[in-house]
Amino acid sequence: MCGIFGIFGNIHEFEKKPELISDIKSDLMHRGPDSQKIIHLDGSILLSTRLSIQDKSHKSNMPFESNDKKWLLAFNGEITNHKLLRKEIDKNDWKTNSDTETIIEGISKDGISFLNKIEGMFSIVALNVIDNVVYIYRDYPGIKPLYYYDNNEFIVFSSEFPTLVRFLQKVNIPTELSKDTLLEYLIYRNTIIEPYTLVDKIKKVSPGQLLKYDIEKRNLSDISIHIYSQTTEESNLDNIFNQAIKDNIQSDQKMGMLLSGGVDSSTVLAKSLENGAEIEAFTLRYSDFQNSTFSEIPFSEFVCNHLNVNLNKIILNEEDFISLIPISIGEQDGNSMDPTIIAYNKIGKVVRSKNIKTVLSGTGSDEIFGSYEWLHAKDFTEFDEWMQLPFIKEFININSMDIDVIHEKAKNKRKKLIFSQVQTPV
């Protein structure tokens, strides 16, 4: 997990306040403890904090400069097909083994359209220092977030929502919550569809979206949103799954596995081991509270004993849970109110204490394989009903009619956004 922060356009006022950037570096340090680097050009400030995974050399630190000196790149994530792309680029004088260099040299060779070739999870900022144009791109699944604020003078973006909010507040830009979006957030099980956020003035780059910002003209344009619809033969599923595992495991270092003992995480663990990964598993249970508890440890123990994998059993008690609430909320990428973010925070600290930087999990398979009832809704109206939180009117002290009006607006907005993104592949 790396961190990105940047300001482009009229940045003269920010140049007079170096403490602003110093604060940002402190805010994002937890995302990239291995290096921090900032590049300051005319009309551009680009900062990156790095968690080194594929190439631990300092030569891979970001922002990364292309060999022809035309491009600067900062990105968060991992490109799973970068070794294959290197063969396409056909370059002999690679400086590093990093996917960062693969991206920037591919852009240097093919132009920004090279981004259509990359696979993985990522948010990318690519600055063309010759044309004075910056491109902002986010992965199609929407795994790695990037938030931004744009006005007629400058654009500022950050990997983290709280960091961007704090920056805007320090430069006296209003960051009021949107009442309508907040209620939509509560109505729809704590979800907001991109590009909207809880703060009107802050937007989130949509999955698969590519933005272009002209630094001199101070103009932001949406180049494209690609939503790829692919069908897969059931008989080929095992090959696709196996290749996905190969693409995501790190053969040269130990990895962690967030294990519940369920079908999803257990299958990922078994297939990863089959492909040569060295893995240590982690599972969590909540301590007894009023004679009640929940534990996945028995299931995880069964799986780990069967696969001969070391299992770390973590206990989260009530005191730790409460103390981790503000930390978990403040350090997350988005605006989740799911209490599992506290469990993830606890597990993450234990994983990091063992010097493990990357973990696998079974997250996302329920959506892909249709395990939730709402994925089988017969139409949008039924889908919308499934997505709503029951009894929300009873919990919120607001006029019922106001909620109905806001819900109808939110429903129409979501319907428009969802159907506008179902496109033919470009």
Side-chain angles (χ1 to χ4, degrees):
M1 175 176 75
C2 300
I4 308 172
F5 184 88
I7 316 170
F8 297 95
N10 182 4
I11 62 173
H12 300 306
E13 288 301 315
F14 309 128
E15 292 172 322
K16 300 174 185 176
K17 302 175 180 178
E19 69 276 6
L20 288 173
I21 301 303
S22 179
D23 290 344
I24 296 301
K25 291 171 68 175
S26 297
D27 267 1
L28 295 179
M29 175 62 78
H30 69 101
R31 299 184 64 91
D34 294 324
S35 79
Q36 280 196 322
K37 184 178 174 183
I38 182 169
I39 289 182
H40 188 173
L41 303 172
D42 185 27
S44 304
I45 297 175
L46 183 58
L47 181 150
S48 174
T49 62
R50 181 179 174 225
L51 178 69
S52 58
I53 303 294
Q54 294 198 15
D55 186 336
K56 295 180 174 60
S57 167
H58 70 278
K59 294 180 180 179
S60 297
N61 290 345
M62 300 177 283
F64 194 101
E65 185 177 47
S66 62
N67 195 49
D68 60 12
K69 312 295 183 184
K70 292 181 179 179
W71 292 88
L72 287 171
L73 183 88
F75 99 104
N76 171 32
E78 180 182 10
I79 308 304
T80 55
N81 65 334
H82 92 97
K83 291 180 180 178
L84 290 175
L85 291 175
R86 285 199 168 199
K87 295 178 182 179
E88 287 187 26
I89 297 170
D90 193 25
K91 176 180 167 67
N92 296 320
D93 56 340
W94 294 101
K95 299 175 183 176
T96 74
N97 295 316
S98 69
D99 45 4
T100 306
E101 187 179 12
T102 305
I103 300 170
I104 199 167
E105 294 304 331
I107 293 174
S108 179
K109 178 177 180 288
D110 296 345
I112 205 66
S113 62
F114 177 79
L115 293 177
N116 288 320
K117 298 180 180 181
I118 64 177
E119 298 174 1
M121 52 180 181
F122 50 81
S123 55
I124 293 173
V125 176
L127 171 62
N128 186 317
V129 298
I130 305 300
D131 297 337
N132 228 13
V133 171
V134 62
Y135 297 90
I136 302 170
Y137 185 46
R138 186 178 174 210
D139 58 53
Y140 160 61
I143 299 173
K144 296 296 184 180
L146 202 59
Y147 300 88
Y148 67 95
Y149 164 84
D150 171 51
N151 61 19
N152 295 327
E153 291 296 318
F154 63 88
I155 184 172
V156 55
F157 57 84
S158 175
S159 294
E160 291 191 357
F161 183 78
T163 299
L164 183 52
V165 170
R166 284 192 288 269
F167 174 83
L168 294 178
Q169 290 173 342
K170 289 173 184 176
V171 296
N172 298 317
I173 293 175
T175 56
E176 294 92 351
L177 287 174
S178 163
K179 174 186 173 183
D180 285 7
T181 307
L182 176 58
L183 288 174
E184 177 185 346
Y185 175 73
L186 296 173
I187 291 170
Y188 284 100
R189 301 177 186 269
N190 317 324
T191 62
I192 306 172
I193 295 182
E194 292 93 338
Y196 304 101
T197 72
L198 289 173
V199 176
D200 271 338
K201 295 180 180 294
I202 295 177
K203 297 293 185 285
K204 187 177 185 180
V205 181
S206 297
Q209 186 175 30
L210 177 61
L211 299 175
K212 175 183 178 181
Y213 185 77
D214 189 308
I215 296 172
E216 292 181 359
K217 295 179 180 178
R218 300 169 191 167
N219 177 61
L220 179 68
S221 55
D222 184 349
I223 297 179
S224 61
I225 300 179
H226 294 171
I227 298 299
Y228 299 101
S229 176
Q230 292 182 320
T231 57
T232 301
E233 294 294 330
E234 186 177 343
S235 59
N236 197 35
L237 179 60
D238 188 60
N239 291 332
I240 294 173
F241 178 61
N242 192 56
Q243 187 59 52
I245 293 294
K246 287 182 177 180
D247 288 342
N248 284 279
I249 60 176
Q250 305 291 332
S251 58
D252 60 342
Q253 57 189 282
K254 182 184 285 188
M255 303 181 69
M257 180 75 218
L258 305 186
L259 186 66
S260 67
V263 173
D264 306 333
S265 59
S266 300
T267 305
V268 171
L269 174 60
K271 188 64 75 171
S272 298
L273 294 169
E274 185 181 305
N275 281 283
E278 181 185 1
I279 293 183
E280 193 166 336
F282 298 82
T283 193
L284 178 142
R285 79 169 178 86
Y286 297 92
S287 63
D288 295 348
F289 178 68
Q290 295 182 352
N291 298 319
S292 177
T293 187
F294 176 74
S295 175
E296 295 174 333
I297 287 180
F299 308 104
S300 299
E301 283 182 327
F302 177 85
V303 172
C304 287
N305 288 336
H306 178 71
L307 297 173
N308 194 27
V309 171
N310 183 45
L311 176 64
N312 294 271
K313 306 164 191 175
I314 303 164
I315 298 175
L316 181 59
N317 59 39
E318 182 183 2
E319 183 180 354
D320 284 347
F321 186 94
I322 293 172
S323 67
L324 284 172
I325 290 175
I327 298 171
S328 302
I329 293 173
E331 291 184 350
Q332 64 172 313
D333 288 333
N335 303 121
S336 175
M337 287 202 306
D338 191 323
T340 58
I341 66 172
I342 298 164
Y344 280 122
N345 192 289
K346 176 74 173 181
I347 295 174
K349 286 177 168 55
V350 175
V351 171
R352 191 69 183 95
S353 71
K354 290 182 168 288
N355 201 32
I356 295 175
K357 290 186 174 181
T358 55
V359 296
L360 299 169
S361 76
T363 302
S365 55
D366 286 310
E367 288 81 2
I368 294 173
F369 293 104
S371 299
Y372 298 125
E373 291 188 64
W374 52 266
L375 288 167
H376 302 279
K378 66 178 183 293
D379 54 31
F380 183 80
T381 299
E382 184 175 279
F383 171 78
D384 184 74
E385 290 172 355
W386 272 112
M387 293 306 295
Q388 293 176 55
L389 187 67
F391 312 116
I392 190 64
K393 293 180 182 179
E394 286 77 10
F395 284 109
I396 299 178
N397 185 22
I398 190 171
N399 187 291
S400 177
M401 187 176 295
D402 287 344
I403 289 185
D404 290 338
V405 171
I406 291 171
H407 167 239
E408 191 63 27
K409 286 171 59 179
K411 175 182 175 181
N412 293 331
K413 179 178 69 176
R414 286 168 174 250
K415 183 176 182 179
K416 182 179 179 180
L417 279 169
I418 290 171
F419 284 99
S420 68
Q421 294 183 33
V422 180
Q423 303 173 357
T424 303
V426 177

